[in-house]
Amino acid sequence: MKSTLALKPAIGVGQTTGVGRTMVGTIRADVLAYTAGKDVELDAVLVNADCVGSAAHVTMLADLSLRPRLFSARDRGRVIAELTRIMRRADRGAFTITLRDQDVHLAVERELTRRLGALGRKIHTGRSRNDQVAVDLRLFAREQLLAVIEEALALGAALLSQARRNRAVPMVGRTHLQPAMPSSIGLWASAYTEDLLDDVRLLKSPTT
């Protein structure tokens, strides 16, 4: 992926590694490349999770009994509307995380700040990037697990349908690669359905 980080010659460096400005200040390009790694590519799948987490965070900040209030109801609505817009852009592949951003969290904050000014920067109030990492990964993992559960249930339903249609069709049972007790396709297919349901129970545990 081509970097959008603008470089200029570094001072006091034997080779022309360059330096550039990021969302959090100026950093040598080789240091940035080492610390950011492939975050700008890998974090692309976390955009929706980051936006959902930020929407929940700004809702919490808006509900705090503080004077003056950190976010008014109108401010909260504006931020959530922009977060929704970012998610839609990400779904179309139109939202880009650059090396200047370093990661998804600063990319979202940068876009909010561009659209909303100081209001966009306020979403970082009361949380660290480590907080955001933990929330994003949990939300992303939950979404992926729920997708796997949905696929497992669909496969189980298909196997159970086959089991019902073929419950009387005989099938040779096998043990240690040798013929064993007579069985049926219905019993074989329904057994796999039960195995899948056991897996679903395990997958549901971390999603609740």
Side-chain angles (χ1 to χ4, degrees):
M1 181 178 292
K2 184 178 179 181
S3 170
T4 59
L5 178 66
L7 301 178
K8 59 183 179 181
I11 298 175
V13 180
Q15 57 184 1
T16 308
T17 54
V19 296
R21 288 199 59 79
T22 70
M23 288 287 291
V24 293
T26 302
I27 186 172
R28 270 179 35 175
D30 54 345
V31 175
L32 178 60
Y34 177 78
T35 55
K38 291 186 176 295
D39 285 358
V40 295
E41 300 171 40
L42 300 176
D43 278 16
V45 299
L46 297 177
V47 174
N48 284 354
D50 195 75
C51 288
V52 170
S54 293
H57 186 70
V58 76
T59 298
M60 179 274 294
L61 292 176
D63 288 342
L64 292 176
S65 299
L66 299 176
R67 292 293 181 272
R69 300 188 71 86
L70 287 173
F71 287 87
S72 66
R74 180 174 180 273
D75 290 340
R76 177 186 59 197
R78 291 177 63 199
V79 171
I80 291 177
E82 287 302 325
L83 289 169
T84 303
R85 176 177 168 275
I86 291 172
M87 292 172 67
R88 288 172 178 163
R89 288 183 60 200
D91 289 341
R92 299 196 306 269
F95 183 76
T96 303
I97 303 170
T98 68
L99 197 56
R100 177 183 172 88
D101 298 318
Q102 298 186 62
D103 56 35
V104 63
H105 323 298
L106 289 177
V108 170
E109 185 176 336
R110 179 251 304 161
E111 182 65 7
L112 287 175
T113 302
R114 185 182 73 83
R115 298 274 297 181
L116 302 175
L119 180 61
R121 286 191 291 271
K122 287 171 65 176
I123 66 160
H124 198 62
T125 303
R127 65 175 175 173
S128 67
R129 287 168 77 182
N130 286 341
D131 294 330
Q132 290 179 267
V133 170
V135 170
D136 287 8
L137 291 179
R138 182 173 178 81
L139 289 175
F140 176 75
R142 186 175 187 274
E143 181 183 34
Q144 297 301 305
L145 286 172
L146 290 173
V148 172
I149 289 172
E150 186 176 348
E151 293 291 332
L153 290 174
L155 177 57
L159 285 169
L160 193 57
S161 177
Q162 286 287 340
R164 286 169 176 160
R165 284 200 300 269
N166 298 285
R167 60 179 177 270
V169 177
M171 175 179 172
V172 177
R174 288 186 173 273
T175 180
H176 299 85
L177 303 180
Q178 297 181 23
M181 291 180 59
S183 183
S184 69
I185 292 179
L187 183 62
W188 171 83
S190 62
Y192 276 103
T193 301
E194 292 183 5
D195 284 343
L196 284 169
L197 290 177
D198 288 338
D199 292 337
V200 166
R201 291 188 186 96
L202 290 174
L203 289 170
K204 284 179 65 178
S205 298
T207 66
T208 56

